[in-house]
Amino acid sequence: MSSEHARVANFGAGPSALPVSVLEEASKGLLNFQGTGIGIAELSHRSKEFQAFVNNMESLIRTQLDVPPTHRILFTQGGGSMQFSAVVLNMLARHRLLHPERAAEDTVLDYVVTGSWSKKAVEEAQRMGGARVNVVVDSRTFSESGKAFDIIPPHDACKFSEDPALIYYCENETVDGVEFSHEDASPASFPFHLLGKNGGLVPLVADYSSSFMCRPIPHLADHAIIYAGAQKNIGPAGLTILIVREDCIVDVDAAAKLGASPVPLTMSYKTLADSGSLYNTPSVLPMYISGLVLERMQRHGGLKHYEETNKRKAEKVYAVLREGQEKGVFKRKVKEGSGSWMNVVFEVVGPDAEKAFLEGAERAGMMGLKGHRSVGGIRVSLYNAVTEPEVDQFVEYAKQFIAERSA
């Protein structure tokens, strides 16, 4: 391979690494999609070939995640950030249809805040109005500084409202490296057992952007909405995947007549559902690449394979991080038990040590390790396409760095 086409180990947080075999297959589709003689980026989204491809994408997600028939799978644009607004509008419309007599000040939106992305989501809900916003818990209050997102809060700290229009959480905080455990018995799991005590369908909304398709989703059927930007484990930026329970696909215009905020047409889940996610031109190329990734995942054994591999990858990185911390070279930024499988964050101790660590990693062919600009430090993202040999390469480099710095 010539140097101009040489690839490095990409530990970036997103847009993130994609499997080389998928990129090679996609390059063929850019010229000729499925023998049509037309490249995928030039193909009509109304063509039978593309519609069949979209149907297959949905089937691959439904099969691998075991999505029940009570939920629809929808594809849209705007990333996770657009869903900050869309979930509020659609769930307030649903709530208005259920409670036409209820005033805005008596309508509540519940938010569990555990990191930068759930913080942005709650700020958007507050900005939009139309309901009171209740912060169920803010995990910063459990940090030593009172300012850091470094732990999943205890279950008994969560104060859910009696009948909220939505209950929101972010499963994996990409910036802060904090993640809910997928083991119910863990104190760092999401407190599903505290929900739905009054009966009825729980309006539970989850941002799964940076952990979607890395392992099974706990209690998937109990969620009203799960959404994910594709640019972590699935494909390029530009595609957002939604899993929406049927009762949350409502007539937003009927709700508006009863006093709910009007919902832009392309943000209405009903518009997406009624059109098969093809109301307007979708992100055709990102959808194509994502579909190829999903096909490859199924060939490789589905989520069971990826869950096992991702667990090993994370354990290897956390092990070397503990070693570095014991030697005074690294410092964990997340408390034990609350760490993410997908985004491992830490600091390199000492003046100019972080700079030296990043420069050495780059010389060794490893990129994308600098932490988010808002928090600094190091962030090792371990998405599906990051291979175990690449993780081993990082671990070996980190061990060498520890040895040099602690000598």
Side-chain angles (χ1 to χ4, degrees):
M1 186 181 287
S2 66
S3 60
E4 63 183 286
H5 294 117
R7 289 179 62 82
V8 299
N10 179 6
F11 292 99
S16 56
L18 287 166
V20 171
S21 62
V22 166
L23 295 173
E24 290 171 344
E25 180 66 23
S27 68
K28 298 173 188 173
L30 271 171
L31 291 172
N32 187 345
F33 174 72
Q34 295 186 352
T36 58
I38 301 173
I40 183 63
E42 310 160 278
L43 189 74
S44 169
H45 63 293
R46 305 278 181 210
S47 67
K48 67 180 187 299
E49 292 86 0
F50 186 72
Q51 294 201 28
F53 188 85
V54 173
N55 292 340
N56 186 52
M57 271 184 72
E58 178 185 338
S59 176
L60 288 164
I61 294 170
R62 188 174 294 280
T63 300
Q64 293 184 58
L65 274 177
D66 197 19
V67 179
T70 50
H71 290 62
R72 298 284 290 273
I73 296 171
L74 308 173
F75 304 109
T76 187
Q77 301 173 52
S81 295
M82 193 170 90
Q83 293 307 309
F84 295 164
S85 317
V87 296
V88 170
L89 292 169
N90 282 274
M91 294 303 276
L92 282 179
R94 173 185 182 269
H95 199 70
R96 175 62 62 180
L97 291 169
L98 292 171
H99 305 284
E101 76 295 338
R102 192 168 293 180
E105 58 268 23
D106 298 321
T107 302
V108 185
L109 307 174
D110 273 1
Y111 280 78
V112 177
V113 180
T114 53
S116 300
W117 289 111
S118 47
K119 177 175 175 283
K120 285 179 183 290
V122 78
E123 288 169 353
E124 176 66 355
Q126 291 164 338
R127 191 185 72 81
M128 292 178 70
R132 287 191 296 112
V133 176
N134 170 49
V135 175
V136 171
V137 66
D138 186 324
S139 67
R140 286 174 292 188
T141 60
F142 293 90
S143 70
E144 291 174 13
S145 67
K147 297 176 182 178
F149 289 118
D150 63 5
I151 193 169
I152 293 293
H155 291 168
D156 60 9
C158 298
K159 308 300 180 189
F160 293 101
S161 303
E162 191 169 321
D163 184 23
L166 67 79
I167 302 165
Y168 187 103
Y169 74 102
C170 179
E171 195 267 351
N172 179 66
E173 290 283 0
T174 326
V175 170
D176 307 279
V178 176
E179 183 174 39
F180 285 97
S181 170
H182 65 311
E183 302 290 347
D184 279 347
S186 168
S189 65
F190 187 82
F192 295 104
H193 63 286
L194 299 179
L195 309 180
K197 292 186 174 180
N198 299 321
L201 294 169
V202 177
L204 183 62
V205 177
D207 176 356
Y208 257 80
S209 289
S210 50
S211 53
F212 190 69
M213 299 300 291
C214 82
R215 63 189 187 190
I217 294 177
H219 299 269
L220 186 151
D222 295 335
H223 288 76
I225 300 164
I226 291 167
Y227 71 80
Q231 67 274 13
K232 313 291 186 177
N233 283 313
I234 303 299
L239 169 65
T240 308
I241 300 167
L242 301 164
I243 301 174
V244 184
R245 201 172 60 211
E246 292 280 3
D247 64 286
C248 301
I249 300 171
V250 302
D251 187 334
V252 296
D253 292 334
K257 288 176 183 175
L258 295 172
S261 297
V263 182
L265 206 54
T266 55
M267 293 175 74
S268 162
Y269 296 151
K270 190 173 190 305
T271 302
L272 291 171
D274 289 350
S275 65
S277 300
L278 298 174
Y279 175 76
N280 63 333
T281 308
S283 301
V284 174
L285 182 57
M287 289 177 78
Y288 174 56
I289 296 175
S290 299
L292 295 179
V293 170
L294 290 163
E295 288 173 354
R296 179 180 181 274
M297 286 184 68
Q298 183 149 295
R299 289 195 304 272
H300 284 211
L303 285 189
K304 186 175 189 302
H305 164 77
Y306 285 92
E307 180 177 31
E308 291 169 354
T309 305
N310 287 326
K311 184 180 182 184
R312 285 197 306 270
K313 284 155 51 177
E315 285 174 346
K316 288 177 178 183
V317 176
Y318 280 112
V320 78
L321 178 49
R322 280 191 290 272
E323 183 183 328
Q325 184 152 308
E326 288 166 5
K327 298 284 180 62
V329 178
F330 298 151
K331 181 182 177 185
R332 284 188 68 149
K333 296 182 76 172
V334 175
K335 296 288 192 294
E336 191 79 39
S338 295
S340 165
W341 281 19
M342 294 286 99
N343 311 101
V344 182
V345 297
F346 62 95
E347 294 174 357
V348 187
V349 178
D352 295 323
E354 179 184 307
K355 182 171 180 286
F357 184 86
L358 290 170
E359 288 175 351
E362 188 170 338
R363 285 194 299 271
M366 292 176 286
M367 303 287 286
L369 288 164
K370 189 171 177 59
H372 191 273
R373 63 186 181 281
S374 64
V375 294
I378 304 298
R379 173 170 53 177
V380 189
S381 292
L382 302 172
Y383 301 127
N384 288 353
V386 175
T387 66
E388 209 161 349
E390 288 173 331
V391 173
D392 292 340
Q393 180 189 355
F394 171 81
V395 168
E396 185 57 36
Y397 167 70
K399 285 184 173 182
Q400 291 173 3
F401 188 87
I402 293 166
E404 291 168 5
R405 291 275 161 162
S406 57

